[in-house]
Structures are given as C-alpha cells and as structure tokens.
Amino acid sequence: MAVRNETRVKEFIFLGLSSNPDLQIIFFMLFLVMYLLTVAGNLLIVVTIYLDAQLHTPMYFFLCNLSFIDLSFSTVTVPQSLVNFLSQSKTISFRDCITQLFFLHFFGGTECFHLTLMAYDRYVAICNPLRYATIMNRRVCLLLVVSTWIGGFLHACAQALPTIQLPFCGPNEINHFFCDTHPLSLLACSSTFFSKTADLFNSGSLALVSFMVLVTSYTYIISTILKMSSDEGRQKAFSTCASHLMVVALTFGPSAFIYLRPSATIPGEKLLSVFYTIVTPWLNPFIYTLRNEKVKKAMKKLGGRKKTLLHVHMN
C-alpha cells in the first residue's frame, strides 16, 4: 500500500525513436517486417526440430528452446512499439510498464543463461564425445533447461522489484520505446542509488557467471579442436561453434553496453536497444539454419511433406 500511495504517476508516455511522422512510418514498416520474419523463422525451427526425429538430440533441443526464447523476447517489446508508431497516444499504464520490464529481463536473462548452457553442451560434445550421451541424457537436459528459466525468473525479479519501489511523481515521459530499468530510474523523484546498485550488481553477476563459463568452455573446446587429426572434423567442430559464438556476440555485446555502464545515458542507447531486442532475434534463425546442414535438410524434408500432402488433398 505504501508503494501505491507514493506512486502518483498512473501511466507513462513513450517518446519513442523519433517524433517525425515520416520516420515513424518507416520504423513501423521495418519493425513489422523484421518481427514477422522473427516469428516465422523461429517457429519454423521449433516445428522442424519437433517433427524430425533425427534432430531429437540435446544440441537441437537447446536450439529449439533458444528459438522459443527469441520469439518471446521480441514479442515483449515489438507489438507495443508497432502500435505506438501509428498511435497519437503513446501511453502505457504503470502496471503494464512494470510487467513489460519484468518479462523483458525474464526472457533476456533466460537467453543469456541458455547460451551459456549451449556452450557447456558443445564442450561436452567435443571434449568428451564418448561420454556425451551419458552426461547429456534427457533428464539432465531438462533439468539444465529448467534451471535457465529459473535463473531468468530470479534475474527479472531482481530487476523489477527495486524499480517498482521507486516513487514516480512526474514527469512521466520515458525517453525510450519500451520500459526498462534505466529510463524509468531517470523519472524517479527520490534517490535511485539502491535501484541502480542492485541493477548493476544483478546484471554484473549474470554477465560474470556467463563469461566465466563461456571462456572456460571455449578454452577447452579450441584446445581440443586444434588437436584433432581430421581436417573434416576440425571444420565441422569450428562451424558449429562459430554459429554459437556469433549469437553470443550479438546478444552479450549490445547488452553489456546497456546494462554494465555508469548511470549516465550513453549515445545511441536506443539504437543499441533496437539491435538486441529486434535485430538479434531476427538474425538468430538465419545464423543457425544457414550454417547447419542438418537443419536445412530437415526443412527441405518438411517442405516436401507439405507439397505431398497438398497434392494428395487436391487430388
């Protein structure tokens, strides 16, 4: 009750990416196309892996889960942004704003933990190939995936709870196109030291744990790959790891600039936010499918099934 009494602002207004109507139409078209491709690409990966028995392995199980996370992550921000581009009233209620912030960090934190898990999976597959099936059995895979979702939930709680305790007395204009901890903290009418410290500590802890696991895993992976006698084996291993490392760089790079920084606003912050909330989920399906022969073959097989079913139905 104390929080509700202190919170005078009942809704916020997004300033968005631009106040220029022509630019807003351009942004609307770009966001719409990229979001539709994100939905189609990630759903295609999920359906393909689910229907093809040859892809029922830990690696593709994790890839399927990553696609679902990417789809959910982009859905947190993009639909609201599309509405705002065409609307005169770019408002969001206090409750919806906090809800958006929570799910942004829920799916974002889960993705960071999940990419770290995928690095561990590659480590076991390349460094301990004979024990891979035993170590990464179905039960272990499920427990590991559940642990990434729990980690994402705890990360989101640690981000949202300090923010919701802040009193917002006005102004209520968010200089962003979605609700996040830093833009909201700038509107608080009391000291934000605790919330900013909690934000930095939480994001820093997530980044540190992920970084240590990633560096350790890939140190062993690269060392093992270089010792392989087969050129084909080295090329295949490097190709698999390159896709994962590319996604890791696209995810962690912009996020680090946003969340692991001093409290001052950095130039191009909103453009960086566009990159990791919209561009990265759109690119991930292309990165994994274009560099993965098994997935491409499975998609072609799925396309062949559709043509056969359509032919039978028409006849």
Side-chain angles (χ1 to χ4, degrees), residues 72-82 100 104 177-179 277-278:
S72 303
F73 184 58
S74 60
T75 301
V76 173
T77 57
V78 179
Q80 174 77 51
S81 300
L82 291 173
Q100 186 183 56
L104 176 78
F177 62 97
F178 60 83
C179 291
T277 58
I278 301 172

Side-chain angles (χ1 to χ4, degrees), residues 75-120:
T75 301
V76 173
T77 57
V78 179
Q80 174 77 51
S81 300
L82 291 173
V83 172
N84 289 340
F85 285 136
L86 300 181
S87 174
Q88 293 294 328
S89 176
K90 308 178 192 303
T91 60
I92 186 171
S93 69
F94 178 82
R95 180 181 298 179
D96 289 345
C97 186
I98 296 299
T99 301
Q100 186 183 56
L101 183 153
F102 175 84
F103 281 103
L104 176 78
H105 288 278
F106 176 42
F107 292 118
T110 301
E111 177 157 5
C112 290
F113 286 123
H114 196 73
L115 287 171
T116 305
L117 167 60
M118 292 175 74
Y120 173 72

Side-chain angles (χ1 to χ4, degrees), residues 145-296:
V145 167
V146 169
S147 70
T148 64
W149 285 93
I150 293 174
F153 176 79
L154 295 176
H155 169 72
C157 289
Q159 294 292 92
L161 289 177
T163 304
I164 203 174
Q165 300 295 326
L166 294 173
F168 297 96
C169 312
N172 66 336
E173 293 183 336
I174 301 177
N175 187 22
H176 219 300
F177 62 97
F178 60 83
C179 291
D180 204 356
T181 52
H182 182 248
L184 280 175
S185 68
L186 296 177
L187 302 180
C189 52
S190 69
S191 174
T192 58
F193 176 78
F194 172 74
S195 63
K196 289 179 179 178
T197 302
D199 184 6
L200 184 61
F201 177 78
N202 184 34
S203 300
S205 299
L206 188 154
L208 180 62
V209 171
S210 301
F211 180 76
M212 289 177 64
V213 174
L214 286 167
V215 169
T216 303
S217 298
Y218 273 101
T219 298
Y220 283 104
I221 287 172
I222 293 173
S223 176
T224 302
I225 291 175
L226 293 176
K227 293 177 183 178
M228 291 180 177
S229 57
S230 169
D231 291 337
E232 183 180 352
R234 280 199 301 269
Q235 184 177 0
K236 183 178 179 181
F238 270 125
S239 177
T240 303
C241 294
S243 299
H244 180 255
L245 283 174
M246 197 178 301
V247 173
V248 167
L250 290 172
T251 302
F252 281 89
S255 300
F257 279 104
I258 296 295
Y259 298 106
L260 300 179
R261 72 188 196 283
S263 58
T265 301
I266 60 173
E269 179 178 343
K270 286 189 280 189
L271 290 178
L272 282 174
S273 298
V274 169
F275 196 85
Y276 80 86
T277 58
I278 301 172
V279 177
T280 300
W282 165 63
L283 284 176
N284 285 355
F286 294 100
I287 293 172
Y288 277 111
T289 55
L290 291 177
R291 299 181 63 88
N292 193 303
E293 291 298 327
K294 282 190 176 181
V295 175
K296 286 192 288 186

